[in-house]
Short mmCIF file of all heavy atoms in Angstrom, two decimals:
data_model
loop_
_atom_site.label_atom_id
_atom_site.label_comp_id
_atom_site.label_asym_id
_atom_site.label_seq_id
_atom_site.Cartn_x
_atom_site.Cartn_y
_atom_site.Cartn_z
N GLY A 40 13.81 -0.20 -0.96
CA GLY A 40 12.76 -0.34 -2.00
C GLY A 40 11.43 0.27 -1.62
O GLY A 40 10.43 0.08 -2.30
N LYS A 41 11.42 1.03 -0.48
CA LYS A 41 10.16 1.63 -0.03
C LYS A 41 9.96 3.05 -0.58
O LYS A 41 8.86 3.55 -0.55
CB LYS A 41 10.22 1.74 1.50
CG LYS A 41 10.48 0.49 2.22
CD LYS A 41 9.18 -0.28 2.48
CE LYS A 41 9.47 -1.55 3.19
NZ LYS A 41 8.39 -2.51 2.89
N ASN A 42 11.00 3.70 -1.12
CA ASN A 42 10.87 5.00 -1.67
C ASN A 42 10.22 5.05 -3.04
O ASN A 42 10.77 4.53 -3.99
CB ASN A 42 12.27 5.68 -1.73
CG ASN A 42 12.25 7.13 -1.96
OD1 ASN A 42 11.18 7.74 -2.10
ND2 ASN A 42 13.40 7.79 -2.09
N LYS A 43 9.11 5.73 -3.16
CA LYS A 43 8.40 5.86 -4.45
C LYS A 43 8.48 7.27 -4.97
O LYS A 43 7.99 7.60 -6.02
CB LYS A 43 6.91 5.49 -4.21
CG LYS A 43 6.62 4.10 -3.80
CD LYS A 43 7.04 3.13 -4.88
CE LYS A 43 6.71 1.68 -4.49
NZ LYS A 43 7.10 0.75 -5.53
N GLY A 44 9.13 8.18 -4.29
CA GLY A 44 9.35 9.56 -4.70
C GLY A 44 9.18 10.50 -3.54
O GLY A 44 8.91 10.19 -2.44
N GLY A 45 9.41 11.75 -3.87
CA GLY A 45 9.28 12.80 -2.89
C GLY A 45 10.15 13.97 -3.22
O GLY A 45 10.98 13.91 -4.16
N ASN A 46 9.93 15.07 -2.56
CA ASN A 46 10.68 16.33 -2.77
C ASN A 46 10.60 17.26 -1.63
O ASN A 46 9.57 17.21 -0.91
CB ASN A 46 10.21 17.06 -4.04
CG ASN A 46 10.87 16.50 -5.36
OD1 ASN A 46 12.08 16.52 -5.34
ND2 ASN A 46 10.09 16.06 -6.26
N ALA A 47 11.52 18.13 -1.54
CA ALA A 47 11.41 19.24 -0.66
C ALA A 47 10.61 20.32 -1.38
O ALA A 47 10.63 20.35 -2.68
CB ALA A 47 12.76 19.82 -0.25
N LEU A 48 9.89 21.18 -0.71
CA LEU A 48 9.12 22.28 -1.35
C LEU A 48 9.81 23.63 -1.08
O LEU A 48 10.45 23.79 -0.04
CB LEU A 48 7.70 22.28 -0.80
CG LEU A 48 6.90 20.97 -1.00
CD1 LEU A 48 5.56 21.03 -0.34
CD2 LEU A 48 6.78 20.62 -2.46
N GLU A 49 9.52 24.54 -1.99
CA GLU A 49 9.99 25.92 -1.75
C GLU A 49 9.22 26.47 -0.58
O GLU A 49 8.20 25.88 -0.15
CB GLU A 49 9.74 26.75 -3.01
CG GLU A 49 10.58 26.38 -4.13
CD GLU A 49 12.04 26.62 -4.01
OE1 GLU A 49 12.42 27.47 -3.13
OE2 GLU A 49 12.87 26.12 -4.74
N GLN A 50 9.70 27.60 -0.06
CA GLN A 50 9.04 28.21 1.16
C GLN A 50 7.62 28.62 0.88
O GLN A 50 7.25 28.76 -0.33
CB GLN A 50 9.78 29.61 1.45
CG GLN A 50 11.25 29.37 1.85
CD GLN A 50 11.43 29.47 3.37
OE1 GLN A 50 10.78 30.21 4.04
NE2 GLN A 50 12.36 28.70 3.92
N SER A 51 6.85 28.62 1.88
CA SER A 51 5.36 28.84 1.73
C SER A 51 5.03 30.18 1.10
O SER A 51 4.01 30.40 0.51
CB SER A 51 4.65 28.67 3.03
OG SER A 51 5.07 29.68 3.97
N THR A 52 5.96 31.14 1.12
CA THR A 52 5.76 32.45 0.55
C THR A 52 5.67 32.32 -0.93
O THR A 52 5.20 33.29 -1.59
CB THR A 52 6.94 33.44 0.97
OG1 THR A 52 8.16 32.84 0.60
CG2 THR A 52 6.86 33.73 2.47
N THR A 53 6.12 31.23 -1.51
CA THR A 53 6.06 31.06 -2.99
C THR A 53 4.77 30.39 -3.40
O THR A 53 4.50 30.25 -4.58
CB THR A 53 7.23 30.27 -3.51
OG1 THR A 53 7.09 28.88 -3.02
CG2 THR A 53 8.54 30.83 -3.11
N ALA A 54 3.96 30.02 -2.36
CA ALA A 54 2.75 29.26 -2.66
C ALA A 54 1.62 30.20 -3.27
O ALA A 54 1.60 31.39 -3.02
CB ALA A 54 2.15 28.64 -1.42
N THR A 55 0.76 29.56 -4.06
CA THR A 55 -0.48 30.19 -4.52
C THR A 55 -1.63 29.32 -4.23
O THR A 55 -1.58 28.12 -4.45
CB THR A 55 -0.29 30.41 -6.05
OG1 THR A 55 0.84 31.14 -6.39
CG2 THR A 55 -1.60 31.13 -6.60
N THR A 56 -2.66 29.86 -3.66
CA THR A 56 -3.92 29.12 -3.27
C THR A 56 -5.02 29.47 -4.32
O THR A 56 -5.23 30.62 -4.62
CB THR A 56 -4.26 29.45 -1.86
OG1 THR A 56 -3.22 29.16 -0.97
CG2 THR A 56 -5.53 28.68 -1.42
N VAL A 57 -5.59 28.43 -4.79
CA VAL A 57 -6.74 28.49 -5.72
C VAL A 57 -8.00 28.00 -5.15
O VAL A 57 -8.06 26.87 -4.62
CB VAL A 57 -6.38 27.77 -6.97
CG1 VAL A 57 -7.60 27.87 -8.03
CG2 VAL A 57 -5.08 28.29 -7.64
N ARG A 58 -9.04 28.81 -5.20
CA ARG A 58 -10.37 28.36 -4.72
C ARG A 58 -11.44 28.65 -5.85
O ARG A 58 -11.33 29.68 -6.45
CB ARG A 58 -10.82 29.20 -3.50
CG ARG A 58 -10.01 28.87 -2.24
CD ARG A 58 -10.54 29.74 -1.11
NE ARG A 58 -9.77 29.60 0.05
CZ ARG A 58 -8.70 30.30 0.42
NH1 ARG A 58 -8.21 31.19 -0.53
NH2 ARG A 58 -8.00 30.13 1.53
N VAL A 59 -12.32 27.77 -6.00
CA VAL A 59 -13.41 27.96 -6.95
C VAL A 59 -14.76 27.96 -6.19
O VAL A 59 -15.06 26.96 -5.54
CB VAL A 59 -13.41 26.95 -8.08
CG1 VAL A 59 -14.65 27.25 -9.06
CG2 VAL A 59 -12.13 26.98 -8.88
N ARG A 60 -15.45 29.13 -6.26
CA ARG A 60 -16.75 29.21 -5.52
C ARG A 60 -17.73 29.77 -6.47
O ARG A 60 -17.49 30.84 -7.15
CB ARG A 60 -16.62 30.16 -4.28
CG ARG A 60 -15.58 29.69 -3.19
CD ARG A 60 -16.01 28.40 -2.52
NE ARG A 60 -15.15 28.08 -1.48
CZ ARG A 60 -14.09 27.29 -1.53
NH1 ARG A 60 -13.74 26.76 -2.80
NH2 ARG A 60 -13.31 27.00 -0.54
N ASN A 61 -18.84 29.09 -6.61
CA ASN A 61 -19.93 29.53 -7.51
C ASN A 61 -19.44 29.81 -8.93
O ASN A 61 -19.76 30.78 -9.64
CB ASN A 61 -20.67 30.78 -6.98
CG ASN A 61 -21.30 30.55 -5.64
OD1 ASN A 61 -21.87 29.44 -5.42
ND2 ASN A 61 -21.12 31.49 -4.70
N GLY A 62 -18.48 28.92 -9.36
CA GLY A 62 -18.02 29.00 -10.72
C GLY A 62 -16.93 30.09 -10.92
O GLY A 62 -16.35 30.27 -12.03
N LYS A 63 -16.52 30.85 -9.90
CA LYS A 63 -15.55 31.92 -9.99
C LYS A 63 -14.22 31.42 -9.34
O LYS A 63 -14.25 30.91 -8.22
CB LYS A 63 -15.99 33.19 -9.33
CG LYS A 63 -17.14 33.78 -10.00
CD LYS A 63 -17.60 35.11 -9.40
CE LYS A 63 -18.79 35.65 -10.13
NZ LYS A 63 -19.30 36.85 -9.59
N THR A 64 -13.18 31.66 -9.97
CA THR A 64 -11.80 31.24 -9.50
C THR A 64 -11.17 32.45 -8.76
O THR A 64 -11.11 33.55 -9.27
CB THR A 64 -10.88 30.85 -10.62
OG1 THR A 64 -11.46 29.71 -11.37
CG2 THR A 64 -9.52 30.36 -10.15
N ALA A 65 -10.81 32.15 -7.53
CA ALA A 65 -10.08 33.17 -6.69
C ALA A 65 -8.66 32.65 -6.44
O ALA A 65 -8.51 31.51 -6.02
CB ALA A 65 -10.80 33.39 -5.34
N VAL A 66 -7.69 33.53 -6.77
CA VAL A 66 -6.29 33.15 -6.58
C VAL A 66 -5.68 34.04 -5.54
O VAL A 66 -5.83 35.30 -5.69
CB VAL A 66 -5.51 33.25 -7.85
CG1 VAL A 66 -4.09 32.89 -7.69
CG2 VAL A 66 -6.19 32.29 -8.96
N THR A 67 -5.03 33.50 -4.50
CA THR A 67 -4.38 34.37 -3.52
C THR A 67 -2.90 33.90 -3.31
O THR A 67 -2.71 32.68 -3.50
CB THR A 67 -5.10 34.31 -2.14
OG1 THR A 67 -5.26 32.93 -1.72
CG2 THR A 67 -6.49 34.94 -2.25
N ASP A 68 -2.05 34.78 -2.95
CA ASP A 68 -0.70 34.43 -2.61
C ASP A 68 -0.63 33.79 -1.27
O ASP A 68 -1.40 34.05 -0.35
CB ASP A 68 0.20 35.63 -2.61
CG ASP A 68 0.37 36.31 -4.00
OD1 ASP A 68 0.22 35.52 -4.98
OD2 ASP A 68 0.65 37.50 -4.07
#
Side-chain angles (χ1 to χ4, degrees):
K41 304 271 181 207
N42 190 2
K43 298 293 184 180
N46 274 304
L48 301 176
E49 293 292 341
Q50 297 259 326
S51 63
T52 56
T53 67
T55 302
T56 300
V57 178
R58 292 179 184 86
V59 178
R60 300 292 186 269
N61 299 319
K63 294 182 182 179
T64 302
V66 178
T67 55
D68 291 336

